[in-house]
Amino acid sequence: MADEKQQEVINPWGLKSWTYLSSLRQQSPLIQCITNFVSMDIMANTLLAAGASPAMVHSILEIPDFTPHTQSVLINVGTLTPDWLPSMKAAAGVANQLGKPWVLDPAAVGASSFRLKACLELIELKPTVIRGNGSEIIALSMASIGSTKGADSLHESSDAVESAKSLAKSSGSIVAISGSADFVTDGQRVVGSHNGVPLMQKITASGCAVTALIAAFVAIDPAHAFEATASAFSVFGLAGDIGMESAKGPASLRMHLIDSLHALDQDTVIHGVNITSF
């Protein structure tokens, strides 16, 4: 007990993060992912490596039967079509009715008016967390489309902090910005996660994967979604830090990141997580 108190003084966020990860491994919550075709594989493998149970269920015919059994829902609009939007809205609606958390990933939201309108309609269904890159968060906050590189960000994550705070206040959601540093805000508090390596941004759907981990951490403790989101960011980044020690490029980093996430232990998380308040 004395050692634990000493560690808490050294790194309270490390202790929080380990509590979430160890609880995730014990509980193995079922996470429903309505996501894009590009991200399904890495998202499922990230959830499995962390200890959660992923389910890629997106048919509207299955929502009434399946979604009530999940502990969290993730909605990612990366390869959005008109056929998928009703499923997304239905799953978010069921999650809300049953008091379950759900997370929105507004991938490339600024690329088209269709995509922006769909995301704004989803935000009306009160996501627990919204996770995007700097450009996506700015586009959502301004409710406007603009110059875009698809799902790639034209802005640093730090450029979007004020937009994120504004979006958090207007939506009631926790807003998370990924980038070279990751930021999380509830509209008042802001924390930054400084784990992770630049090469992670060269792995397709790495942002989608961390959103999945956020959904899993929030499933463990929906009442503290701010803390769960920041912890998920840092744990994922820490796995990237460790994976980079063996990686030779993006493909091998992807493999080593997933292996490292699976292998994270208490000491590594408590001493490796790097989250600061602003």
Side-chain angles (χ1 to χ4, degrees):
M1 183 63 71
D3 288 343
E4 186 173 285
K5 288 181 179 178
Q6 184 178 5
Q7 288 174 336
E8 187 171 359
V9 172
I10 295 171
N11 191 359
W13 276 106
L15 284 170
K16 282 188 207 304
S17 299
W18 173 248
T19 298
Y20 283 119
L21 182 59
S22 59
S23 297
L24 182 66
R25 290 170 173 174
Q26 292 165 10
Q27 298 177 29
S28 189
L30 178 62
I31 312 300
Q32 180 181 359
C33 304
I34 303 180
T35 190
N36 65 76
F37 294 115
V38 178
S39 72
M40 289 183 183
D41 176 78
I42 190 171
M43 191 178 285
N45 279 295
T46 295
L47 287 170
L48 284 170
S53 179
M56 307 302 167
V57 175
H58 59 261
S59 170
I60 195 168
L61 299 178
E62 293 190 279
I63 302 298
D65 295 328
F66 188 85
T67 304
H69 298 289
T70 66
Q71 281 70 59
S72 182
V73 174
L74 180 151
I75 295 174
N76 179 302
V77 301
T79 52
L80 184 66
T81 70
D83 294 337
W84 278 36
L85 188 54
S87 298
M88 293 173 173
K89 291 180 177 179
V94 170
N96 283 338
Q97 290 168 13
L98 299 178
K100 298 174 184 290
W102 75 275
V103 177
L104 174 64
D105 190 327
V109 63
S112 71
S113 56
F114 164 64
R115 192 174 291 264
L116 176 63
K117 183 174 182 290
C119 288
L120 292 176
E121 290 173 356
L122 286 165
I123 288 174
E124 290 179 3
L125 297 173
K126 301 297 181 183
T128 309
V129 181
I130 302 168
R131 196 293 309 172
N133 62 37
S135 293
E136 290 161 351
I137 297 304
I138 290 170
L140 269 184
S141 177
M142 298 175 61
S144 65
I145 61 173
S147 59
T148 178
K149 287 181 68 180
D152 293 336
S153 183
L154 295 175
H155 299 85
E156 292 293 331
S157 53
S158 56
D159 297 335
V161 170
E162 291 305 315
S163 294
K165 289 170 68 175
S166 176
L167 180 60
K169 290 175 183 176
S170 64
S171 66
S173 305
I174 302 302
V175 177
I177 321 161
S178 57
S180 54
D182 304 316
F183 297 94
V184 181
T185 182
D186 60 3
Q188 301 294 332
R189 296 175 292 173
V190 179
V191 297
S193 168
H194 307 283
N195 293 103
V197 294
L199 195 61
M200 292 170 70
Q201 297 180 46
K202 298 297 184 181
I203 301 173
T204 298
S206 60
C208 304
V210 77
T211 311
L213 191 62
I214 288 169
F217 274 39
V218 171
I220 296 300
D221 190 8
H224 297 93
F226 178 85
E227 291 82 359
T229 299
S231 296
F233 259 148
S234 206
V235 165
F236 188 78
L238 179 59
D241 292 337
I242 297 168
M244 191 65 210
E245 295 173 5
S246 304
K248 296 181 179 179
S252 56
L253 176 58
R254 182 186 192 274
M255 176 185 71
H256 290 298
L257 187 157
I258 292 170
D259 282 350
S260 298
L261 180 60
H262 175 72
L264 285 174
D265 58 27
Q266 181 175 0
D267 187 67
T268 301
V269 172
I270 287 176
H271 292 98
V273 158
N274 184 6
I275 297 174
T276 58
S277 299
F278 289 86

